[in-house]
Amino acid sequence: MFGLIQLTSKLSSHTSGTPCFTAMSSDMTSSPPLGPAMGTENGGGRAGSIKYQLAKLVEVSLRAVFPEESNVQPLIAVCTAKFGDYQCNNAMGIFSKIKGKSAEFKNPNSVGQAIARNLPYSDMIESTSVAGPGFVNIVLSNKWVAQNIQNMLSNGIGAWAPILSVEKAVVDFSSPNIAKEMHVGHLRSTIVGDTISRMLEFSGVEVLRRNHVGDWGTQFGMLIEHLFDNFPDWEDVGGQAIGDLQELYKASKRRFDDDPSFMERAQHAVVRLQGGEARYHNAWQRICEISRREFDIIYQHLDVYLEEKGESFYNPYIPNVLEELTRKGLIEESKGCPMDQKYQEFLCCLNDLLLLSRYRLNIEKAEWIIYVTDVGQAQHFDMVFSAAKASWLASDVNSGLYPRTNHVGLEFLDEAKSRSKAELVKRLGDNGKLKEWTDEELEKTAEAVGYGAVKYADLKNNRLTNYTFSFDQMLNDKGNTAVYLLYAHARICSIIRKSGKDIEDMKNSGTVVLDHADERILGLHLIQFAEIVEEACTNLLPSVLCEYLYNLSEIFTRFYTSCQVLGSAEETSRLLLCEATAVVMRKCFHLWELLPFTNYRSTFSSSGS
Ligand code: ARG
């Protein structure tokens, strides 16, 4: 045990008796532009996103034309004008650096011309043109786009996984508190954390999925004492008997607040627990086990995998870190009540600080540590990151882009309940279609739609903005909802089924051709999948992917309206485009852990056939 500890003025603007870390502006919490990992070949056969591949070509040109500007990184963007598919935006920046030094380059346009002229040959580029102040517009070759799609169909969607410049990340998510209810903030963290983990894993990053459960702290004193009082033979009674931990928590808290002698006993219990006394340790373990069982039911339901390393796991590391902080003059001891709220907050910060520095950076050697919690904890993480930066981590943390830490703050939902089966039955009843459905179909669809709707609503909304939760909106089959996307996917599957062709055979024998303008637009959107995942990962915004998929289904509809698929001369190529669209959609569903259903049935009168 240690007394109340304060950070000294170096790190803290504390008023007397208020331990805290100063929230200093921390550039670690903002997102540095990561961009593609230039020069690294950790792609393992993946070509990387289109932007990544173009950047490699542009890099060759830049090094050849401007060898003395070796720090300039290629700037590639999707073309905003009609003149190309992508554009290189380096000319103006380079011109401002070399202005006056070179007779050859009189304006940014001439720099752009030189970049375009010196691009190495590549079959991905059809043509280039230089516009205005040196924007190099790049038109991709139709044939190359088509081949790229065919390659993905033969080798799987992994061919379109992006290449990121980070190899190992910790994602700290879900993290409920023992003996307390897992509230909607934890649920959202579980959903968003899982998707972030999946996106990073898909991109080849090793992800340590960490459940930082609140399993340590002074509340255990009161819980254990209350347990001993009410279940003297608690070791023999099953978990069932003491199962309602929330009740136990509430009752013990009431006693703690009302009864000074109980409060005293509870405080002593904390000391005995932290001192490792067996009876207290066992009771603590039993309480944690019961909570864990309850949490696991939710994880199984959501099919989320996490590795529990709770607050207590890092306990053995505390003395060393304290010693180090003290030696560096960063903290000082003072007197105070260990049950004090401020003390709790301080312990929480300390716990996070040491786990970040000692464990996650030094032992686990993670380059990127991502915390997914409700937005209310933003200040806490600001303090932790600032303190970590200001103390012994300063030099490590500031070196280059990594190590990097981010807090993903989530706003609370007003309401979250799955009502999809009732909704489905009602709608089917209204349409007189209920009898066409088997129970199993009903169950499966309700599950896919219901869970999917909640998850998707969570992911789709840019987590940085607040939003109103509306179940009606989530279950709407029009607009950007999971239901709409799941049906769009099922409809594509039914087109393929109706053709009567074996799509696997076609992948090997058929050829994708992108002659029609709407075929090309669809093809281009498809091959942009890798850079969208890359953007969603680097900015930690799953909503980017949601938007992409919604656009994909709209672009697909346009293609399907203007290009006849079944029975046309281009049937094979167009069926392959349908399949590629479905594959991309399924990958997104997988990243979001939505369950796709392939059997399209007209449930909603408005959604047509
Ligand atoms: N248990 C905390 C809560 O429920 C969340 C913990 C988040 N992770 C962390 N390393 N602090 O609010």
Side-chain angles (χ1 to χ4, degrees):
M1 266 302 284
F2 40 88
L4 185 61
I5 296 157
Q6 294 179 176
L7 292 173
T8 59
S9 54
K10 215 168 189 173
L11 283 177
S12 158
S13 57
H14 63 84
T15 50
S16 136
T18 310
C20 65
F21 293 111
T22 314
M24 299 193 289
S25 74
S26 162
D27 53 11
M28 293 163 64
T29 53
S30 63
S31 305
L34 295 176
M38 296 305 301
T40 49
E41 282 303 346
N42 59 352
R46 284 172 284 156
S49 67
I50 309 301
K51 280 187 188 170
Y52 176 88
Q53 294 179 58
L54 288 174
K56 285 194 145 190
L57 297 175
V58 168
E59 195 180 27
V60 173
S61 170
L62 291 177
R63 301 297 168 254
V65 189
F66 307 102
E68 62 291 349
E69 304 297 332
S70 58
N71 289 333
V72 174
Q73 293 300 314
L75 299 173
I76 308 293
V78 170
C79 211
T80 47
K82 287 195 209 89
F83 312 112
D85 301 313
Y86 285 84
Q87 61 188 53
C88 162
N89 294 341
N90 283 96
M92 281 200 290
I94 293 180
F95 182 72
S96 67
K97 287 188 176 186
I98 60 169
K99 208 155 133 190
K101 288 192 225 156
S102 153
E104 192 186 342
F105 300 108
K106 302 239 162 5
N107 51 41
N109 189 285
S110 60
V111 172
Q113 300 284 356
I115 296 173
R117 247 193 337 269
N118 285 279
L119 283 173
Y121 171 78
S122 162
D123 55 4
M124 74 187 291
I125 297 179
E126 177 72 43
S127 63
T128 57
S129 57
V130 180
F135 297 122
V136 181
N137 295 313
I138 300 168
V139 177
L140 296 178
S141 134
N142 260 10
K143 199 162 162 219
W144 184 85
V145 174
Q147 270 166 0
N148 201 335
I149 295 169
Q150 218 151 349
N151 176 44
M152 182 283 282
L153 284 171
S154 310
N155 298 315
I157 191 72
W160 284 352
I163 297 172
L164 304 182
S165 54
V166 57
E167 284 176 14
K168 200 176 193 181
V170 163
V171 183
D172 176 321
F173 66 108
S174 192
S175 310
N177 300 314
I178 297 291
K180 289 195 196 161
E181 198 179 359
M182 191 195 265
H183 59 61
V184 71
H186 296 124
L187 205 61
R188 290 196 66 200
S189 163
T190 311
I191 292 168
V192 174
D194 182 52
T195 292
I196 287 175
S197 303
R198 281 171 184 248
M199 292 195 308
L200 289 169
E201 284 156 354
F202 174 60
S203 312
V205 178
E206 183 190 348
V207 178
L208 309 178
R209 295 158 162 258
R210 292 287 183 258
N211 198 3
H212 189 73
V213 295
D215 65 354
W216 204 240
T218 49
Q219 79 271 24
F220 282 98
M222 66 186 194
L223 274 167
I224 293 172
E225 279 305 324
H226 190 71
L227 179 73
F228 288 165
D229 289 349
N230 288 278
F231 300 94
D233 54 351
W234 63 271
E235 270 165 303
D236 303 325
V237 300
Q240 232 88 34
I242 51 170
D244 197 346
L245 285 178
Q246 284 156 49
E247 270 314 306
L248 195 79
Y249 185 89
K250 280 185 204 145
S252 62
K253 180 81 174 76
R254 265 195 306 275
R255 285 180 73 192
F256 185 85
D257 291 339
D258 299 345
D259 176 357
S261 72
F262 180 76
M263 185 198 234
E264 204 173 311
R265 269 169 57 209
Q267 286 169 349
H268 281 121
V270 177
V271 179
R272 294 166 86 162
L273 171 64
Q274 297 192 341
E277 209 174 297
R279 189 159 167 258
Y280 285 81
H281 192 81
N282 293 344
W284 167 76
Q285 257 181 339
R286 169 61 75 88
I287 293 170
C288 292
E289 262 165 38
I290 298 169
S291 260
R292 201 171 288 137
R293 272 206 298 270
E294 283 168 21
F295 300 151
D296 279 346
I297 295 172
I298 296 175
Y299 298 138
Q300 272 166 21
H301 222 80
L302 294 172
D303 198 14
V304 166
Y305 165 76
L306 277 139
E307 193 182 342
E308 184 183 315
K309 277 204 164 95
E311 287 171 13
S312 66
F313 176 86
Y314 306 96
N315 223 29
Y317 299 85
I318 288 185
N320 272 347
V321 176
L322 278 182
E323 190 270 319
E324 196 168 339
L325 283 168
T326 314
R327 190 159 30 82
K328 294 189 169 172
L330 293 171
I331 52 173
E332 64 188 29
E333 259 186 77
S334 71
K335 293 185 177 53
C337 163
M339 296 301 278
D340 180 89
Q341 175 66 27
K342 289 287 173 195
Y343 180 73
Q344 292 277 319
E345 280 168 21
F346 168 72
L347 272 190
C348 226
C349 277
L350 184 66
N351 201 302
D352 263 323
L353 181 59
L354 70 91
L355 116 87
L356 166 80
S357 60
R358 267 303 147 87
Y359 205 80
R360 292 181 168 170
L361 285 170
N362 289 339
I363 297 178
E364 294 184 319
K365 303 225 179 294
E367 297 148 279
W368 193 6
I369 304 165
I370 300 159
Y371 299 85
V372 188
T373 75
D374 62 273
V375 81
Q377 299 187 27
Q379 209 189 352
H380 163 81
F381 284 105
D382 221 19
M383 288 177 195
V384 173
F385 298 163
S386 300
K389 203 177 143 201
S391 60
W392 67 96
L393 279 173
S395 58
D396 293 343
V397 171
N398 282 333
S399 58
L401 291 170
Y402 291 107
R404 172 185 174 195
T405 49
N406 278 96
H407 173 233
V408 177
L410 302 163
E411 293 289 349
F412 277 91
L413 295 176
D414 299 323
E415 173 198 345
K417 271 186 269 158
S418 175
R419 300 191 317 223
S420 86
K421 190 167 175 188
E423 192 76 31
L424 196 63
V425 170
K426 186 179 159 291
R427 290 193 187 205
L428 287 169
D430 290 349
N431 304 346
K433 288 185 176 160
L434 190 56
K435 52 187 178 313
E436 291 173 26
W437 285 63
T438 65
D439 271 357
E440 202 193 329
E441 270 181 330
L442 207 59
E443 275 301 313
K444 284 214 165 113
T445 308
E447 198 170 292
V449 173
Y451 293 142
V454 178
K455 282 183 183 179
Y456 190 75
D458 239 350
L459 297 170
K460 171 188 96 173
N461 286 283
N462 181 324
R463 62 176 169 78
L464 306 174
T465 54
N466 207 348
Y467 67 99
T468 321
F469 182 90
S470 147
F471 205 78
D472 282 342
Q473 204 183 321
M474 283 184 340
L475 275 180
N476 198 337
D477 59 332
K478 289 190 222 79
N480 191 357
T481 64
V483 182
Y484 170 79
L485 292 173
L486 288 165
Y487 276 107
H489 170 258
R491 210 174 287 140
I492 297 172
C493 293
S494 95
I495 297 168
I496 297 171
R497 235 190 347 264
K498 271 192 208 145
S499 77
K501 302 274 167 56
D502 182 338
I503 196 75
E504 293 309 315
D505 271 1
M506 275 194 278
K507 283 182 191 174
N508 300 322
S509 57
T511 310
V512 176
V513 185
L514 302 170
D515 285 344
H516 192 286
D518 287 327
E519 286 175 324
R520 188 170 195 286
I521 292 171
L522 177 61
L524 187 65
H525 195 73
L526 283 169
I527 64 166
Q528 286 171 341
F529 179 66
E531 68 206 40
I532 296 297
V533 177
E534 182 174 302
E535 191 187 332
C537 283
T538 50
N539 297 326
L540 296 169
L541 284 175
S543 56
V544 171
L545 198 56
C546 298
E547 210 157 298
Y548 166 83
L549 199 64
Y550 181 63
N551 289 338
L552 177 63
S553 70
E554 298 232 295
I555 288 172
F556 179 84
T557 304
R558 214 174 312 140
F559 150 79
Y560 191 63
T561 312
S562 54
C563 301
Q564 185 192 345
V565 176
L566 300 178
S568 69
E570 299 86 355
E571 187 184 81
T572 301
S573 165
R574 290 181 178 169
L575 282 172
L576 287 173
L577 282 176
C578 290
E579 174 67 4
T581 307
V583 169
V584 166
M585 293 189 100
R586 279 197 290 276
K587 186 64 211 178
C588 290
F589 297 157
H590 174 255
L591 293 174
W592 302 326
E593 193 41 40
L594 294 186
L595 300 170
F597 46 87
T598 51
N599 194 8
Y600 173 67
R601 307 285 298 264
S602 158
T603 26
F604 305 102
S605 49
S606 56
S607 58
S609 58

